[in-house]
Amino acid sequence: MDNRYKIIVSNKNLYKEIELSPEMTFAKIGTGIDCTFRLLKDLFFDSIELSFQKKAGIWSIVCSDNLYITTGDVRKLVTKELAHGDIFDICYRESNNPVVTIEFLLDFGGNRKYERLLHIEAISQMTIGAASSNNIVLKSTFITDDQIVCVRKNDGFEIKVIKSKYGVYINDKKISKAEHLGYGDFISVSDFTFYLSEQGLWTEIREDFSINGLQYEDCPNPNDYPKFIRNARLHGKINEDAIEILDPASKPEKPKNNLFMSLLPSM
């Protein structure tokens, strides 16, 4: 089954997230009028076009003639096959000046069911990662040797990323240093997502997820969030009573002329 991907296009003046749905096979990003996703021309010195095409389930990128791809070495690539977690720069061919940074990621978003509640009220510090010694152990195919430390603060936790292959995101923004996770915030580690509330830390019920030293409870709910319970006493009923048709009011008649009343003012 084809996956849903996300492209992040950014520079010092631009940040744009673009979704590639599973049914898409082609998309063009740039300043041209024929681009699928258009960028503001005033943000660039010259026109740019980046074509994304999918063959056999694999996406690749092709640059326009005035651009090239650099991955940190001496090579200047025109095209590149893409995989989850790729980050690279697009530069102008003549000046070598950077244009944008491209991040290509699997889109782990969508409908999530936060049905497992971790009780962390008495925890001053907890760890998340791949090693079995962590409080929260993640065993996804996208997790390798990830390690995250969460230190208790008055209104949440301070998140420290020790190591992560694909990065850690808070409220869909990638973090590079210690960041605050407050009540009502979401944190994502690869394809695992958590929601912090005053009750505790909510996440999905998964087989590739285990817990050490933390109490938890599962609260499976067949309804989608937000919960909505309709009053059972309310029942819709169609009124089938006959509609009474009323006769229109009689048309008012103009008063007839009266000779005496006509002469009265003059008298």
Side-chain angles (χ1 to χ4, degrees):
M1 183 179 69
D2 289 338
N3 294 310
R4 183 186 303 272
Y5 287 92
K6 179 169 61 175
I7 302 170
I8 300 177
V9 184
S10 63
N11 59 25
K12 62 181 181 180
N13 299 316
L14 170 69
Y15 181 90
K16 189 176 182 66
E17 294 186 2
I18 295 169
E19 180 184 285
L20 298 178
S21 60
E23 61 272 9
M24 292 178 66
T25 57
F26 180 82
K28 184 183 289 186
I29 301 173
T31 57
I33 59 174
D34 61 334
C35 290
T36 316
F37 303 96
R38 294 192 64 184
L39 304 177
L40 188 62
K41 190 175 182 180
D42 295 342
L43 298 177
F44 304 97
F45 292 107
D46 195 2
S47 61
I48 66 168
E49 285 189 359
L50 304 172
S51 298
F52 292 81
Q53 51 191 6
K54 181 174 66 174
K55 292 183 179 178
I58 299 175
W59 283 95
S60 60
I61 179 175
V62 179
C63 294
S64 53
D65 294 339
N66 61 331
L67 304 174
Y68 70 85
I69 302 166
T70 175
T71 57
D73 52 25
V74 297
R75 295 177 301 168
K76 296 183 178 181
L77 306 175
V78 176
T79 183
K80 182 183 187 307
E81 191 173 282
L82 300 174
H84 170 63
D86 281 348
I87 302 177
F88 51 89
D89 292 327
I90 305 294
C91 298
Y92 286 116
R93 185 168 293 277
E94 291 187 1
S95 64
N96 295 320
N97 289 330
V99 182
V100 291
T101 298
I102 299 293
E103 296 182 54
F104 187 78
L105 304 165
L106 274 165
D107 189 356
F108 296 123
N111 295 327
R112 299 281 184 137
K113 291 189 175 182
Y114 297 93
E115 298 176 331
R116 175 165 289 175
L117 175 60
L118 310 182
H119 295 289
I120 56 174
E121 300 85 356
I123 299 298
S124 60
Q125 178 174 308
M126 63 180 177
T127 56
I128 304 173
S132 57
S133 58
N134 287 293
N135 298 117
I136 300 175
V137 183
L138 311 178
K139 293 296 183 183
S140 166
T141 55
F142 300 104
I143 297 290
T144 53
D145 52 356
D146 295 46
Q147 181 70 31
I148 297 97
V149 177
C150 308
V151 180
R152 167 73 68 179
K153 296 297 180 182
N154 291 334
D155 55 347
F157 286 87
E158 183 182 69
I159 306 300
K160 297 180 180 179
V161 181
I162 308 301
K163 192 171 184 180
S164 179
K165 182 176 181 179
Y166 295 121
V168 177
Y169 293 77
I170 294 180
N171 296 332
D172 230 14
K173 300 295 182 183
K174 190 175 183 179
I175 64 174
S176 57
K177 56 182 181 179
E179 294 286 348
H180 180 71
L181 180 73
Y183 297 127
D185 289 340
F186 291 83
I187 178 172
S188 300
V189 184
S190 187
D191 55 333
F192 292 88
T193 302
F194 304 86
Y195 165 68
L196 181 64
S197 73
E198 294 185 0
Q199 294 176 290
L201 191 65
W202 291 87
T203 188
E204 296 176 284
I205 300 174
R206 296 176 53 159
E207 294 181 355
D208 52 0
F209 175 98
S210 59
I211 301 167
N212 292 322
L214 298 177
Q215 298 295 322
Y216 72 95
E217 60 178 309
D218 290 341
C219 313
N221 179 18
N223 298 322
D224 293 333
Y225 179 86
K227 300 176 183 179
F228 178 75
I229 301 176
R230 183 177 178 83
N231 192 328
R233 292 175 296 174
L234 298 178
H235 297 283
K237 184 178 179 181
I238 300 175
N239 189 354
E240 298 179 352
D241 296 340
I243 300 175
E244 182 182 0
I245 300 176
L246 302 177
D247 295 330
S250 58
K251 184 177 180 181
E253 295 182 0
K254 184 178 181 181
K256 297 179 180 179
N257 292 333
N258 188 304
L259 180 60
F260 176 75
M261 295 300 295
S262 299
L263 296 176
L264 182 60
S266 61
M267 290 174 62

